[in-house]
Amino acid sequence: MGSLSVALGFAVLPQRAVAADPARIGILIPGSKSDKGWMESGYDGLVAAQKQHGDAIKVQMIENINYADMEQALTQLASKNGLVIGVGGQTQAAVYKIAKRFPKVKFSIVGGNAGESAPNVAGYDVKQAEIAYVAGAAAAMLSKTGAVSYVGGMELPSIVNAGKEFGMGAKSINPNIKFFENYTGDFDNVAKAKEATLAAIAQGADVHYHILNLGLRGLEQAAKEKSTHIIGSYANYCGSDPLYVAYSITGVGYQVRYALDQFVGGSWAAGYKPFGLAMGPEASDMIICGATPEMKAKLDAIKADILAGKIKVLEG
């Protein structure tokens, strides 16, 4: 018997052939999807997109890989999917390299920077430096000692620029504030993040900001031991942990959903796209847990000045 059945002279395809094939999505989350940071935010965006699209999409995810294995992971995803999403700026170099080998596959980089371009690559800039400035202002408002700190992972331009803008934002509130900036060279190194935070605490810092993945565990350990506080990143979890006094929203999950929605809807486009405050509170925002009306008004004014160009911030 063939795969066609005949009724009243008409060929009727089996139901499985009539249904549209699901859009195939590959996603590389190089860190842990439960890091309470960038990677978890990206994973949460994926979960939300899966709930929204249901059987219309089929997702293949690779998580928690070494930097040296990134090209191999992207090759595996590109060979089986129509869209491949790299979560994190650390995927950018490998994405552009692999994209040349798979010109018919679309690639989106969550945390991508301007500069490079390819006809099948989209780079979504979360504008971390922009919201880091606002986070610095929040930290200065919350600090009781007049000293704040920042710990970044790899010294990528966007991570360094965010650190510098955090310091500038803090100084916009208190010109005399002490600011301590450190980089561990690894987003996931718990011991180095703890060491850097303890060093800042020893010099008076009582509010800490970060761009880390699993390394955040070290920052948390230091803050808990010394009774200091953290401004979290990526999502608003106010009330879930007394260590955290505020959260910056950097829309990693929002961008994952954006890439997937654009691909499924047929409107995906290559090129650099900035997100940040201009894309609304899901993409970028700053929340002080239990903020006073004065604090909220000041943060709103700073965000408005950034959007209006009155406050200039670095790229990243």
Side-chain angles (χ1 to χ4, degrees), residues 153-232:
M154 294 176 66
E155 290 189 65
L156 301 171
S158 60
I159 309 303
V160 174
N161 287 350
K164 293 186 184 306
E165 291 299 346
F166 177 78
M168 294 299 294
K171 289 176 182 177
S172 75
I173 300 297
N174 176 6
N176 298 316
I177 201 162
K178 294 179 181 178
F179 168 54
F180 305 102
E181 180 182 5
N182 210 319
Y183 299 89
T184 65
D186 185 334
F187 292 111
D188 297 317
N189 192 306
V190 174
K192 287 185 177 181
K194 181 176 182 179
E195 180 184 355
T197 306
L198 286 173
I201 292 171
Q203 297 178 81
D206 66 340
V207 179
H208 320 292
Y209 190 56
H210 74 93
I211 297 182
L212 298 166
N213 295 333
L214 284 177
L216 175 59
R217 301 290 189 271
L219 195 157
E220 288 179 329
Q221 291 168 14
K224 189 171 184 179
E225 288 176 13
K226 300 298 182 179
S227 300
T228 59
H229 292 92
I230 302 169
I231 293 179

Side-chain angles (χ1 to χ4, degrees), residues 9 21 34 37 39 41 46 65 73 75 86 101 112 137 139 161 163 178 180 218 243-244 255 266 274 280 286 296 312:
D21 290 334
S34 56
M39 302 298 161
S41 177
L46 174 64
I65 64 161
T75 299
R101 293 172 46 196
N161 287 350
K178 294 179 181 178
F180 305 102
L243 274 180
Y244 288 84
Q255 291 189 31
M286 185 68 229
K296 189 176 185 305
K312 305 286 187 183

